[in-house]
Amino acid sequence: MNANILHLKRELYQAKIKLQRVRDIFLGPFRRMFLKPRDFTIVSCNCWDWGVYFRYQLPYTSPTTNLLFPPKDYLRFISDMPRYLKEDLVQIDLESFHYYDYVVRRNKRGGFGDKNPENFIYCRLGDVDFVAWHYSEFEDLKKKWNRRRERVNYDKMLFKMHDMWECTFEDFQRFLELTEGKNALFLTAKKEWKEYAADNPNVIYVEKYAKV
């Protein structure tokens, strides 16, 4: 694709995002009037939860907001979340990151666009790793993490995961096991997993992004 066209598409996308944020700031309080309950905690493997909180202009009651957890690390985290939230959050380098090989492969394919994964902030919580690529400073992230982990509502939780970052069928099954009887959402674009969306209300097949 022509570099100028690609640059224009990115500029238009950024403008669209800014307009959506302005809209959410003004419409959020009105939307919130029809939302019950409002004191829920979303534990998401990516920044999807930020979109929900921002859309309704709700306080961030989850430390996972705007973070990205690889599949197996996310599953370890939600398997014993109270214990992990007592762990001290530390910064690590890319080479120590559990999914280092995946990051290198994806970067070679251009999967991060014009972003350099070496500049992302990588974190460790016990034996759980995650990426904070929406942050520019680790100390800022840590302050928000410590503040938000105190707001977690264990009685009203929603767990959200998707099939990215080399998520395996075993990871998918493990998520369903860990969240059985709980509020949960698994988004998949894998056609071979489509049948599970019909049998489990917590699984949603996103045909728009269907993978061959």
Side-chain angles (χ1 to χ4, degrees), residues 4-18 114:
N4 290 331
I5 295 177
L6 184 60
H7 176 73
L8 178 59
K9 289 185 68 174
R10 288 174 178 166
E11 289 293 318
L12 290 173
Y13 176 75
Q14 291 300 323
K16 177 183 176 182
I17 295 299
K18 290 179 181 178
D114 57 358

Side-chain angles (χ1 to χ4, degrees), residues 46-207:
N46 69 343
C47 55
W48 178 85
D49 56 345
W50 176 88
V52 176
Y53 288 125
F54 197 83
R55 177 178 174 80
Y56 292 94
Q57 291 295 287
L58 291 167
Y60 300 116
T61 57
S62 174
T64 65
T65 299
N66 257 347
L67 305 177
L68 191 151
F69 288 71
K72 290 177 175 55
D73 292 80
Y74 175 76
L75 293 169
R76 277 197 295 273
F77 179 68
I78 67 171
S79 70
D80 196 354
M81 190 171 160
R83 178 176 70 83
Y84 279 111
L85 288 183
K86 294 177 182 178
E87 297 276 359
D88 188 36
L89 183 65
V90 297
Q91 185 174 11
I92 60 174
D93 55 34
L94 172 57
E95 289 72 19
S96 302
F97 184 55
H98 289 160
Y99 275 60
Y100 169 73
D101 292 338
Y102 168 80
V103 171
V104 171
R105 290 195 303 272
R106 178 172 170 177
N107 190 45
K108 287 181 178 179
R109 298 194 303 266
F112 295 106
D114 57 358
K115 295 180 179 179
N116 184 352
E118 293 184 2
N119 296 330
F120 297 157
I121 297 176
Y122 299 88
C123 303
R124 179 162 292 166
L125 194 70
D127 59 351
V128 168
D129 287 3
F130 61 83
V131 188
W133 56 18
H134 290 293
Y135 288 85
S136 57
E137 298 291 338
F138 174 72
E139 288 306 316
D140 177 43
L141 160 65
K142 191 168 185 178
K143 287 179 182 178
K144 290 180 180 178
W145 173 275
N146 289 334
R147 184 168 67 245
R148 292 169 182 172
R149 69 178 173 178
E150 298 299 323
R151 301 175 182 170
V152 172
N153 187 341
Y154 288 100
D155 295 323
K156 299 175 184 176
M157 302 186 75
L158 169 65
F159 298 91
K160 183 268 178 183
M161 187 177 175
H162 58 200
D163 62 14
M164 297 178 69
W165 280 65
E166 298 185 333
C167 178
T168 66
F169 183 68
E170 288 70 28
D171 295 331
F172 171 51
Q173 288 184 308
R174 178 62 174 157
F175 175 78
L176 296 183
E177 291 172 3
L178 289 172
T179 60
E180 185 176 3
K182 301 176 182 178
N183 295 313
L185 178 65
F186 190 96
L187 302 180
T188 181
K190 294 185 178 181
K191 292 182 178 179
E192 64 269 30
W193 296 358
K194 180 179 179 180
E195 61 182 287
Y196 294 90
D199 299 330
N200 192 318
N202 291 346
V203 180
I204 295 180
Y205 174 65
V206 187
E207 188 172 8

